[in-house]
Amino acid sequence: MKGVFFASVTALAISASMAQAADPAVVYDQAGKFDKSFNEGVYNGVKKYTTDSGIQVREFEPKNEAQVEQGLRRLAKRGYSPIVTVGFNMTSAVEKVAKDFPNINFTLIDGVIDLPNVQSVIFKEHEGSFLVGALAAMASKTDMVGFIGGMDIPLIRKFGCGYEQGVKYASSSATVFQNMTGSTGAAFNDPTKGSELAKSQFSKGADVVFAAAGGTGIGVYQAAKDEGKLAIGVDSNQNHIQPGTMLTSMVKRVDQAAYKTYKDAAAGTWKPGMVVLGLAEGGVDWALDDNNASLVSADMKAKLKDIRAKIVSGDIKVHDYMSDNTCNY
C-alpha cells in the first residue's frame, strides 16, 4: 500500500506540474499587444509558442495601471503559471502578487525582483544601441543625428547613451540631439509628440533619428518619411513600417524571453533569478532585411560586423547609463 501511495502522490505531482505548465499567461502593458514595438515583440513570442506547442496562452491587456495588479491577481488565483509580465512599470504589482502567490511563477521583462518565484529578464540595450548609433553616423550626410526617447527614465537614457557612444565611435565629430517625450507612461504612446520632436531635430540638421519610445516612434518614422530622412526602430524589427525610410531597428528579443519562459516551464527547467541578455547571448542586435538592404552598403555591414565582434569580445566597452546614472564614457 505504501508503494501505491507514493506512486499515486508522484503521479498527482507530475500531472499538477503538467497542468501548471499547460496554463501559461501574459500581461501586456497599457500600450497593448499591437503597439508595433515592445509589446508586439512579446506577442510574437507568445504566438510562436502556441504555434509550436498547441498550448494557448491566456492574454490580458490592462487599460490602466490599477488593472495591472487586478489582472495579475485574477490569473494567479485561477492557477495560471508561468505569467509573463511586460515592462519595468509592472515591477511593483508583480512583487506584491508574487509574494501572495508563492506557488505561481512570474517572468518580469525589463525589471528586477528578488523573489524565489520570479525570473527577471533584462537586456544590454546599450550594446544594441551602440551598433545602431554607429550605423546612424555612417549613414548621415550632415554628421548630425538624433535620439527620441519615450518616458524619461534611466532605462531609456541607457538606450540614448549607448546610441551616442556608437555615433561618436564611428564619427568623433558628430552631433547627437536628444529629446525625451514625457515623464509618464503616456510618453510611450504619443505619435503626435514623436513627430513634433523628430521634425524639430530634422530642422536642426539631423538626418537620422533613433526612437526608443514604443508607439510614439510611429510618429517619428512618419515624420522621417515625410521629410526624406532616415529613422531607426526599436524592440521589434520595425523596418517594414516605413520601407526605405527605416535605416534599421535595434532589436530587443523580448519574443525569445517570452517563448523561453513557456518552453522552460513546460520542460520543468524554468528558474527564478536574473537573466541578462546582450549581444553575446543574441538578446539585442540590429536588423537587416529586404526593407532596408538598399540603405546599408557592404562597407557599413563589414564595419558593423567588426564593431559587434569587438563588443562581444570586450575590446569595445559600452558604458551602461544605469550603472551610475551618467553618460560619462
Side-chain angles (χ1 to χ4, degrees):
M1 281 298 290
K2 196 173 179 183
V4 172
F5 172 76
F6 280 127
S8 63
V9 168
T10 306
L12 278 170
I14 291 170
S15 64
S17 125
M18 282 175 71
Q20 197 177 66
D23 285 319
V26 59
V27 179
Y28 299 103
D29 81 7
Q30 294 163 54
K33 67 181 179 184
F34 295 124
D35 65 350
K36 297 186 170 65
S37 185
F38 186 65
N39 285 268
E40 196 156 330
V42 173
Y43 170 67
N44 289 336
V46 168
K47 199 166 56 173
K48 179 170 166 39
Y49 178 72
T50 296
T51 301
D52 290 355
S53 68
I55 296 169
Q56 203 66 37
V57 176
R58 177 79 166 84
E59 297 176 297
F60 178 62
E61 295 180 81
K63 299 296 178 218
N64 56 55
E65 210 157 312
Q67 287 184 2
V68 173
E69 188 178 334
Q70 291 166 8
L72 279 168
R73 284 191 183 282
R74 198 157 54 243
L75 290 167
K77 274 180 189 169
R78 291 175 183 173
Y80 284 96
S81 183
I83 303 172
V84 170
T85 55
V86 185
F88 69 92
N89 53 352
M90 290 196 188
T91 304
S92 173
V94 173
E95 188 163 13
K96 284 182 198 166
V97 179
K99 281 178 180 172
D100 292 343
F101 294 89
N103 296 324
I104 300 294
N105 293 331
F106 299 82
T107 290
L108 174 63
I109 297 176
D110 267 3
V112 178
I113 295 171
D114 184 16
L115 285 173
N117 59 330
V118 180
Q119 182 181 96
S120 305
V121 182
I122 60 172
F123 294 82
K124 295 181 179 178
E125 293 92 352
H126 50 302
E127 293 184 349
S129 298
F130 188 103
L131 281 183
V132 301
L135 185 61
M138 291 179 218
S140 176
K141 294 179 172 63
T142 62
D143 212 24
M144 288 186 265
V145 301
F147 172 81
I148 294 171
M151 187 177 174
D152 190 357
I153 50 170
L155 176 62
I156 299 303
R157 290 199 171 266
K158 182 178 178 182
F159 281 89
C161 182
Y163 178 71
E164 180 184 317
Q165 289 172 77
V167 170
K168 296 289 190 178
Y169 180 86
S171 173
S172 58
S173 61
T175 299
V176 184
F177 303 113
Q178 295 203 33
N179 292 104
M180 295 291 178
T181 306
S183 56
T184 69
F188 289 114
N189 197 22
D190 192 346
T192 303
K193 185 75 181 288
S195 175
E196 288 168 7
L197 291 172
K199 284 175 181 172
S200 169
Q201 292 186 358
F202 294 144
S203 72
K204 292 175 186 170
D207 57 357
V208 186
V209 172
F210 174 33
T216 297
I218 304 303
V220 175
Y221 313 147
Q222 184 63 52
K225 185 185 178 187
D226 293 345
E227 306 250 343
K229 311 297 186 187
L230 295 173
I232 296 171
V234 75
D235 295 335
S236 300
N237 180 353
Q238 297 186 312
N239 294 352
H240 65 281
I241 293 176
Q242 298 289 358
T245 292
M246 306 302 291
L247 175 63
T248 187
S249 296
M250 199 293 274
V251 181
K252 185 169 158 181
R253 299 307 302 271
V254 290
D255 58 332
Q256 285 185 0
Y259 183 88
K260 192 170 186 309
T261 287
Y262 301 135
K263 197 168 181 192
D264 288 355
T269 56
W270 181 94
K271 288 178 186 164
M274 190 138 73
V275 177
V276 183
L277 303 173
L279 277 177
E281 298 79 18
V284 294
D285 218 327
W286 69 289
L288 181 67
D289 57 28
D290 291 344
N291 293 307
N292 68 330
S294 63
L295 300 172
V296 184
S297 68
D299 183 50
M300 288 176 178
K301 277 190 268 192
K303 284 178 180 170
L304 276 191
K305 186 178 179 183
D306 178 58
I307 292 169
R308 192 185 188 288
K310 283 177 177 167
I311 294 173
V312 170
S313 71
D315 288 347
I316 293 176
K317 289 182 173 34
V318 188
H319 177 69
D320 177 357
Y321 178 91
M322 290 180 75
S323 66
D324 60 3
N325 281 350
T326 77
C327 196
N328 297 325
Y329 55 90

